[in-house]
Amino acid sequence: MASIEFTAYARNTEGRGASRRMRRAGKAPGIVYGGTAAPTPIELDHNALIHALRNEVFHASILTMKLDGGATKVLLRDVQMHPFRPEVLHVDFQRVDENRKIHMKVPLHFVNAELSPAVKVSGAIVSHVLTDLEIICLPKDLPEFIEVDLSDLDTGHSLHVRGVKLPPGVMAMSHGTVDPVVATAVIPKAIVEIEEVEAAAAEGAVLATTAAAPAEGAKPAEAAVPEKGGEKKEVVKDEKKKEAGKDEKKKK
């Protein structure tokens, strides 16, 4: 993990008025606490701090704070922002003891969703229910992020915290027996409706084909019976032939 450094300056004045003057001068007020030393009010360059806060790693890494010629390992613990301006009102840092475990929220990076059966086979959309995970570990084991592999996610199933592979030395914070959902796969409503229409059309086609086919065991249609008039004509012809045959015998 790359070391991230920033510079802080001791702050001798406190109070709202002093903080407003500091912000007008391009500074951001803050404090560093924890460890064996007393809490120390500090100030930082506002523009440099805003730039650092845009970096995800700054929020989930052990930072090196340079103060009064020394260097201290700290964690970013809290940032208070102005309601509608990109302005830092106050920032808190905590000193790090290398031998004591720390609690941190670490961002989750999701990978391989496009390889999962949910997306590849069913065309589902993967929803990220959690974007970070609360963990506990020693400072040396703190990861910048945790990678979440979604390649086995199937439609109608969810990935829970217990199913996330954590780096060595890292444990997820548990709250009783609760096992929160990290990600889930859902088929979009439009795709479901299309599938229902296609299924209904296929079922209609099968019914139509069944109705057109003859029922099992049915006798084939009989040949049309000639009309009675036709039968009489055939009988007359046969009689004439017989009479002709008799005349020929008499002549002989």
Side-chain angles (χ1 to χ4, degrees):
M1 181 187 300
S3 177
I4 299 177
E5 298 181 352
F6 68 96
T7 302
Y9 307 91
R11 176 163 55 97
N12 300 320
T13 58
E14 295 187 56
R16 293 183 179 179
S19 294
R20 282 195 294 268
R21 289 191 295 272
M22 191 183 306
R23 285 191 285 268
R24 284 197 294 267
K27 304 292 184 180
I31 191 170
V32 56
Y33 60 86
T36 56
T40 305
I42 58 174
E43 62 181 51
L44 303 91
D45 180 81
H46 185 271
N47 289 340
L49 179 59
I50 283 288
H51 181 74
L53 290 173
R54 293 193 183 108
N55 188 352
E56 179 186 75
V57 178
F58 192 79
H59 294 259
S61 299
I62 296 176
L63 313 171
T64 301
M65 181 182 71
K66 293 183 177 180
L67 176 65
D68 293 335
T72 305
K73 299 293 185 182
V74 298
L75 293 169
L76 176 65
R77 280 307 190 189
D78 187 50
V79 180
Q80 298 175 32
M81 299 294 297
H82 192 278
F84 55 87
R85 290 200 299 265
E87 181 181 339
V88 178
L89 300 181
H90 197 273
V91 61
D92 295 2
F93 294 95
Q94 180 185 1
R95 297 184 185 96
V96 172
D97 183 342
E98 295 292 338
N99 299 314
R100 295 187 64 180
K101 289 186 176 182
I102 55 176
H103 295 187
M104 285 289 292
K105 280 189 175 182
V106 177
L108 299 176
H109 288 188
F110 296 89
V111 298
N112 297 330
E114 68 282 359
L115 302 179
S116 67
V119 176
K120 256 182 114 173
V121 179
S122 304
I125 292 177
V126 176
S127 174
H128 302 162
V129 181
L130 296 182
T131 57
D132 53 40
L133 184 62
E134 191 175 355
I135 63 167
I136 180 171
C137 65
L138 287 171
K140 67 180 182 64
D141 296 323
L142 180 64
E144 294 180 5
F145 60 87
I146 293 175
E147 189 172 271
V148 180
D149 187 359
L150 299 174
S151 59
D152 293 330
L153 187 63
D154 207 345
T155 308
H157 292 74
S158 300
L159 176 67
H160 292 255
V161 168
R162 290 177 186 172
V164 176
K165 185 178 180 181
L166 300 175
V170 176
M171 292 179 58
M173 291 288 292
S174 60
H175 301 278
T177 58
V178 178
D179 187 15
V181 173
V182 176
T184 186
V186 180
I187 298 178
K189 185 178 179 181
I191 294 180
V192 173
E193 290 176 348
I194 291 172
E195 289 178 349
E196 289 176 350
V197 170
E198 290 177 347
E203 184 178 355
V206 170
L207 291 174
T209 304
T210 304
E216 187 177 351
K219 294 181 179 180
E222 295 182 358
V225 179
E227 294 182 359
K228 292 182 179 180
E231 291 180 355
K232 290 180 179 179
K233 291 179 181 178
E234 293 294 333
V235 171
V236 171
K237 285 182 181 179
D238 291 340
E239 290 178 352
K240 287 182 177 180
K241 286 181 179 179
K242 288 179 181 179
E243 290 178 0
K246 290 178 180 179
D247 292 341
E248 289 179 0
K249 286 182 179 179
K250 288 180 180 179
K251 288 179 181 180
K252 291 179 179 179

